[in-house]
Amino acid sequence: MKAKIIVNKNYQTGEISKYVYGSFLEHLGRAVYGGVYEPGHPTADKNGFRQDVLELVKELGVTTVRYPGGNFVSGYDWQDGIGPKESRPSRLELSRKVVETNQFGTDEFLSWCSLAHVEPMLAVNLGTAGAKEAGWLVEYCNHPKGTYFSDLRRRNGSEKPYGVKLWCLGNEMDGFWQIGSKSAEDYGKLACEAAKIMKWVDPSIQLIVCGSSGIDLPSYGYWEETVLEYTYDYVDYISLHFYVEDYERDTLDFLAKSRDMEQEIQTMIGLCDYIKGRRHSDKTMYLSFDEWNVWYHSREKKNLMAKNWPETASLLEEDYTFTDALAVGCMLLTILRHADRIKIACLAQLVNVLAPIMTTTGGEAWRESIFYPFAQACRYGKGSILQEKAESPVYDSSHHKTVPYLESVSVWNGESRELVVFAVNRHMSEHMELSVEAENFSNLILTEYLSFKENEITRKNVFSSLPPLSWNVIRYRESD
Ligand code: AHR
């Protein structure tokens, strides 16, 4: 099978924001307790942070981490998680029916971020709390000193403000499962008021308003239109969430699901631009794809909630296959293709819950299959997306039509003078002979070819074809 990509150095569609390589750490299952935080673990430091996990987070290359939820945030009082640990209350955590001990909270997370070299992305509770508490949290984190909450932070050990830049205005507020879910009108008004207060406290912050949790909800579309009418002038991004699973064990159809993600992105851009036009605004709304991944909802119903209010429970833990890694690769390339509009994206999640990094409590930490395409994109996917003319044979699957076997994105890094082609071959049995026609480059030399297929990662300095069912990174260097 033959395929072709034509790119031109002068046709750049958008700069890749560093925040598209984000992830997500929720108080859910063993993500925090037994994941990043486990006092007494052989690798734990004085804060209780597992160093084996921290090293893998650094190796993954994630740039920003969203916290503390997710559904969790909609019942969370951030003031429970600060101050002396012995006086922090244990609370019923209603979204997963566990007890939250609050031994890890905002200060622990922000210290962990600086050790992990990632930027925090904090979510405020707009389910059971409101605009006032959201403003207080911004004051606690970002105000220098001389007020109740900024001085409380200083007393709790952080003299300098954290300067948290990215803030989510609640989570999935359209979902019936959300604690304190709201109608589009109620959420739009509340998000607008919270946004005003939060930006009055710190005008340098950037805000993400909730879009629909999924395209199947009855309010899909109407939600975005209404919420943006209320918040357009006050927020910087609108969120999208998207999970896929291979519940029919139909690989070709599973790998085609990134096309549904493409559709969701295009619809969101259309909705944002419609509101922009209606309001005669010159402001462009950016997209925050702050939850995306493979999630086996169907086989995991039993693991969604704990029983009898334990302090820890193993929830939403996935043993990812190689095909899942390819699906993650296809989704990541779909996000990168829209680098002009998607400025934040978070692989949901980071450790133990729907995660590229897994641990055993008291034991080891390891990389799941989905770790690899994500880590390689973080490392080599820097610069500008090039407009691609791709030619590939196509297939029809059970639920998708004319799906190209080739999924690809080309990135030009002007600083390192590197052209990187990321490519997935969706074909189950045939190699793909891919020719890359790169126009307007002076002299391109292949420097490395990385290929990831079932049970095998190879690095070579020659490239001939893409193996069946494979993730590939082809790197060229421009010389004079
Ligand atoms: O990532 C797991 C859950 O998925 C999050 O808590 C929620 O926001 C979404 O439904």
Side-chain angles (χ1 to χ4, degrees):
M1 180 183 40
K2 286 191 173 29
K4 181 155 84 177
I5 291 172
I6 306 171
V7 287
N8 185 316
K9 191 170 145 187
N10 295 330
Y11 299 163
Q12 300 174 14
T13 59
E15 183 81 16
I16 300 173
S17 154
K18 65 175 175 179
Y19 298 125
V20 295
Y21 300 117
S23 186
F24 178 25
L25 180 71
E26 178 165 8
H27 281 248
L28 199 178
R30 296 189 309 117
V32 172
Y33 304 110
V36 296
Y37 178 77
E38 195 184 325
H41 185 273
T43 72
D45 67 6
K46 62 178 184 346
N47 305 302
F49 302 154
R50 281 182 66 155
Q51 299 301 299
D52 55 349
V53 173
L54 204 59
E55 286 313 309
L56 286 176
V57 170
K58 288 188 206 161
E59 183 186 320
L60 184 63
V62 58
T63 51
T64 184
V65 177
R66 180 170 174 249
Y67 172 89
N71 298 343
F72 170 81
V73 76
S74 297
Y76 183 53
D77 182 344
W78 66 267
Q79 293 191 66
D80 289 344
I82 58 169
K85 291 194 176 181
E86 58 284 5
S87 13
R88 298 186 191 176
S90 288
R91 301 270 189 205
L92 294 180
E93 200 289 272
L94 300 178
S95 77
R96 302 288 165 191
K97 298 205 171 14
V98 294
V99 168
E100 171 58 53
T101 61
N102 283 303
Q103 293 303 292
F104 186 98
T106 304
D107 289 302
E108 286 76 26
F109 173 66
L110 294 172
S111 313
W112 180 86
C113 282
S114 90
L115 294 171
H117 307 144
V118 301
E119 278 195 41
M121 175 173 170
L122 288 182
V124 298
N125 174 357
L126 293 187
T128 55
K132 186 170 72 173
E133 292 86 348
W136 285 345
L137 181 55
V138 179
E139 180 186 328
Y140 182 83
C141 293
N142 289 3
H143 193 73
K145 60 180 178 179
T147 63
Y148 177 78
F149 284 110
S150 58
D151 288 343
L152 186 57
R153 178 200 69 237
R154 293 167 67 224
R155 284 202 299 283
N156 287 341
S158 296
E159 175 60 34
K160 284 206 194 128
Y162 292 110
V164 178
K165 179 172 151 191
L166 303 175
W167 294 81
C168 304
L169 296 164
N171 174 69
E172 296 191 345
M173 298 306 302
D174 58 335
F176 60 87
W177 57 89
Q178 202 66 213
I179 309 168
S181 63
K182 309 228 167 345
S183 67
E185 286 76 11
D186 288 349
Y187 173 66
K189 285 181 203 164
L190 177 58
C192 171
E193 294 311 313
K196 279 159 55 185
I197 291 174
M198 292 165 78
K199 283 201 173 172
W200 283 333
V201 176
D202 181 353
S204 72
I205 62 175
Q206 296 185 357
L207 297 175
I208 300 126
V209 74
C210 292
S212 295
S213 321
I215 56 172
D216 297 330
L217 288 180
S219 59
Y220 178 60
Y222 173 76
W223 175 272
E224 280 76 7
E225 195 184 331
T226 311
V227 165
L228 285 175
E229 276 295 356
Y230 283 106
T231 60
Y232 201 87
D233 295 338
Y234 302 98
V235 304
D236 305 280
Y237 312 85
I238 184 162
S239 73
L240 301 91
H241 290 179
F242 185 82
Y243 293 98
V244 293
E245 63 180 311
D246 186 10
Y247 58 87
E248 287 171 334
R249 291 187 180 275
D250 177 346
T251 302
L252 281 178
D253 195 59
F254 177 47
L255 294 180
K257 289 183 181 175
S258 57
R259 311 279 292 171
D260 303 335
M261 186 189 212
E262 171 72 38
Q263 178 71 49
E264 189 177 336
I265 294 166
Q266 287 184 14
T267 304
M268 183 61 101
I269 292 172
L271 286 163
C272 291
D273 291 351
Y274 162 66
I275 301 297
K276 176 181 183 178
R278 254 185 47 75
R279 298 175 68 82
H280 307 291
S281 172
D282 56 8
K283 171 179 173 179
T284 297
M285 187 60 59
Y286 291 106
L287 274 46
S288 170
F289 218 120
D290 46 42
E291 287 187 32
W292 68 272
N293 202 348
V294 175
W295 177 1
Y296 286 86
H297 271 86
S298 52
R299 75 175 178 217
E300 268 190 351
K301 289 263 183 284
K302 61 183 187 314
N303 288 330
L304 289 174
M305 292 282 174
K307 287 195 180 70
N308 305 323
W309 305 101
E311 279 188 8
T312 50
S314 301
L315 303 175
L316 279 63
E317 298 195 6
E318 297 287 4
D319 186 7
Y320 286 117
T321 64
F322 170 73
T323 321
D324 297 330
L326 282 186
V328 161
C330 289
M331 286 191 275
L332 187 50
L333 298 188
T334 305
I335 288 171
L336 288 175
R337 197 173 299 116
H338 291 279
D340 57 329
R341 290 302 285 269
I342 303 179
K343 294 296 179 186
I344 304 173
C346 303
L347 177 71
Q349 299 195 8
L350 184 61
V351 183
N352 287 334
V353 171
L354 311 175
I357 299 168
M358 291 294 293
T359 72
T360 47
T361 303
E364 289 185 2
W366 65 93
R367 303 163 193 82
E368 281 287 318
S369 62
I370 64 170
F371 184 101
Y372 298 98
F374 189 86
Q376 290 173 4
C378 290
R379 177 167 303 177
Y380 303 117
K382 292 177 184 152
S384 298
I385 295 294
L386 295 179
Q387 189 181 348
E388 253 188 12
K389 167 132 179 47
E391 290 169 16
S392 160
V394 296
Y395 67 91
D396 289 344
S397 66
S398 45
H399 299 103
H400 297 84
K401 293 260 177 277
T402 55
V403 183
Y405 283 108
L406 171 68
E407 177 80 52
S408 63
V409 155
S410 303
V411 179
W412 166 241
N413 185 336
E415 243 169 68
S416 60
R417 298 185 70 188
E418 195 172 53
L419 169 68
V420 182
V421 177
F422 295 97
V424 171
N425 178 5
R426 290 187 172 100
H427 204 289
M428 296 188 58
S429 55
E430 283 186 32
H431 274 74
M432 180 182 282
E433 287 169 36
L434 177 68
S435 70
V436 179
E437 290 183 15
E439 297 169 353
N440 270 320
F441 292 86
S442 41
N443 187 20
L444 282 180
I445 299 154
L446 182 96
T447 50
E448 188 174 41
Y449 167 53
L450 295 161
S451 170
F452 181 27
K453 53 187 181 151
E454 183 106 54
N455 297 325
E456 193 186 323
I457 299 181
T458 48
R459 275 171 194 269
K460 295 186 207 153
N461 51 13
V462 285
F463 165 66
S464 52
S465 63
L466 310 177
L469 287 185
S470 61
W471 159 267
N472 305 271
V473 184
I474 313 163
R475 300 173 62 203
Y476 303 90
R477 174 73 42 86
E478 185 186 49
S479 65
D480 298 321

